[in-house]
């Protein structure tokens, strides 16, 4: 149950309610920023409705509450003026890893020339092998920020570990939580306290409910700016790196108010599959994509097989725009297209 407290209510009245919960051993979570109280069950409705502190309440039968569509209809995340989940299809792009100055600056220049608003790039990489390239660390963050600033882009980068939270906070606009960390509840709790949007990837073996509960960790900590990202789940067939679960988009749209984007790169693992997967993401109603682009995919230090070239990115953008335009929608790169009347 979510109990909305009276906005101008008295502290003493709130304490009476909290005391009642404590005495009756009813677990509760007070989110002061929203003036709400969350209880894991919803059987206490008759009990709380007469308390002076209570304004209204919503019975939410699922374990995730704040992430539920019953609580809120829509979340639009705003990043320096660009909206995510606001109706335009966001195209976030960049290399898997920040590798060197020339690589990241040429990518930023190219993306900006295409109207892209978000550059991605990892400085701390969660690699399966300890011998693989694991990113440039803080030097990578600085390069990414410098390139983004030079070309007016927002930075999306992964926060792998709380030890480097301050650095990642300093140099980024959106914090990415990777697939491997979706279950890292300590990390999620800390990111609930920060004032920066979090892009939460789905764990590659996570059920949708588990994913929404991870989002709940962020929301219940007070961070309401959460973007979900489907990046493929592990299956039995070695022919594809992952199985891109596109059906999750309409499902999430039914269950939650959070924006949901697709990562067609990790989702397929093959550069030749990235364009059709991106078009499919647009067709099925995703709020955007997060795609790996590299100036020279063959030379990429991580995830080269799935990185698309600038030429392929051009094709991706054209095809996706054509498709979206036919549906009366637009990418966030098409600022001029917004002025044309809808068909
Ligand atoms: C990435 O975006 O480069 C990445 C490591 O993604 P994931 O966590 O989905 O594997
Ligand atoms: Mn990658």
């Amino acid at each position: 149950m979510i109990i909305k407290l009276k906005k101008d209510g008295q502290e003493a009245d709130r304490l009476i309610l909290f005391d009642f919960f404590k005495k009756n051993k009813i677990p509760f979570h007070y989110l002061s920023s929203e003036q709400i109280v969350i209880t894991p069950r919803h059987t206490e409705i008759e009990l709380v409705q007469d308390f002076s502190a209570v304004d209204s309440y919503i019975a939410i039968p699922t374990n995730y509450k704040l992430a539920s569509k019953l609580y809120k209809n829509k979340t639009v995340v705003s990043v320096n003026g660009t909206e995510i989940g606001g109706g335009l299809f966001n195209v976030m792009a960049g290399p898997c890893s920040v590798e060197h100055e020339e690589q990241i600056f040429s990518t930023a220049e190219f993306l900006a020339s295409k109207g892209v608003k978000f550059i991605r790039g990892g400085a701390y990489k969660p690699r399966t092998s300890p011998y693989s390239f694991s990113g440039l660390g803080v030097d990578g963050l600085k390069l990414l920020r410098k390139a983004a600033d030079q070309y007016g882009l927002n930075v999306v980068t992964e926060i792998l570990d709380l030890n480097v939270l301050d650095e990642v906070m300093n140099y980024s606009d959106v914090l990415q939580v990777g697939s491997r960390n979706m279950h890292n509840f300590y990390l999620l709790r800390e990111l609930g306290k920060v004032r920066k949007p979090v892009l939460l990837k789905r764990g590659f073996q996570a059920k949708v409910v588990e994913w929404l509960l991870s989002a709940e960790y962020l929301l219940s900590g007070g961070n309401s700016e959460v973007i979900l990202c489907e990046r493929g789940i592990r299956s039995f067939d070695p022919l594809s790196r992952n199985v891109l679960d596109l059906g999750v988009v309409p499902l999430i749209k039914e269950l939650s108010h959070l924006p949901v984007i697709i990562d067609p790169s990790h989702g397929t693992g093959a550069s030749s599959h990235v364009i059709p997967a991106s078009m499919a993401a647009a067709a099925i109603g995703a709020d955007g994509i997060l795609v790996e682009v590299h100036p020279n995919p063959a030379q990429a230090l991580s995830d080269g097989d799935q990185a698309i070239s600038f030429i392929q990115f051009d094709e991706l953008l054209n095809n996706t725009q054509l498709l979206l335009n036919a549906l009366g929608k637009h990418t966030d790169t098409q600022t001029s297209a917004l002025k044309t009347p809808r068909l």
Side-chain angles (χ1 to χ4, degrees), residues 204-266:
F204 53 76
Q205 310 205 76
K207 295 179 188 174
V208 169
V209 166
E210 293 168 329
W211 189 18
L212 290 174
L213 281 168
S214 289
E216 190 82 11
Y217 267 90
L218 299 163
L219 300 169
S220 63
N223 190 341
S224 56
E225 300 189 300
V226 178
I227 305 139
L228 299 171
C229 178
E230 161 64 36
R231 48 78 73 206
I233 48 177
R234 178 163 290 179
S235 189
F236 51 84
D237 191 343
L239 275 185
S240 53
R241 182 177 183 189
N242 287 297
V243 173
L244 182 58
D245 184 3
L246 285 166
V248 87
V249 173
L251 178 60
I252 290 288
K253 294 277 170 205
E254 269 172 26
L255 300 178
S256 181
H257 51 87
L258 296 172
V260 55
I261 67 167
I262 293 288
D263 174 346
S265 309
H266 296 86

Side-chain angles (χ1 to χ4, degrees), residues 136-191:
L136 298 179
V138 72
D139 293 339
L141 287 176
K142 288 179 184 165
L143 280 179
L144 184 58
R145 182 76 266 169
K146 221 169 123 191
D149 286 347
Q150 180 153 334
Y151 294 102
L153 300 167
N154 294 303
V155 164
V156 183
T157 197
E158 180 162 355
I159 169 74
L160 195 57
D161 192 287
L162 284 175
N163 289 330
V164 290
L165 179 59
D166 289 347
E167 283 97 319
V168 179
M169 281 290 286
N170 273 342
Y171 297 109
S172 68
D173 299 295
V174 177
L175 303 167
Q176 177 176 324
V177 172
S179 190
R180 290 152 193 83
N181 260 330
M182 190 213 84
H183 297 286
N184 185 342
F185 305 123
Y186 286 93
L187 175 67
L188 297 175
R189 265 201 207 286
E190 291 307 310
L191 297 182

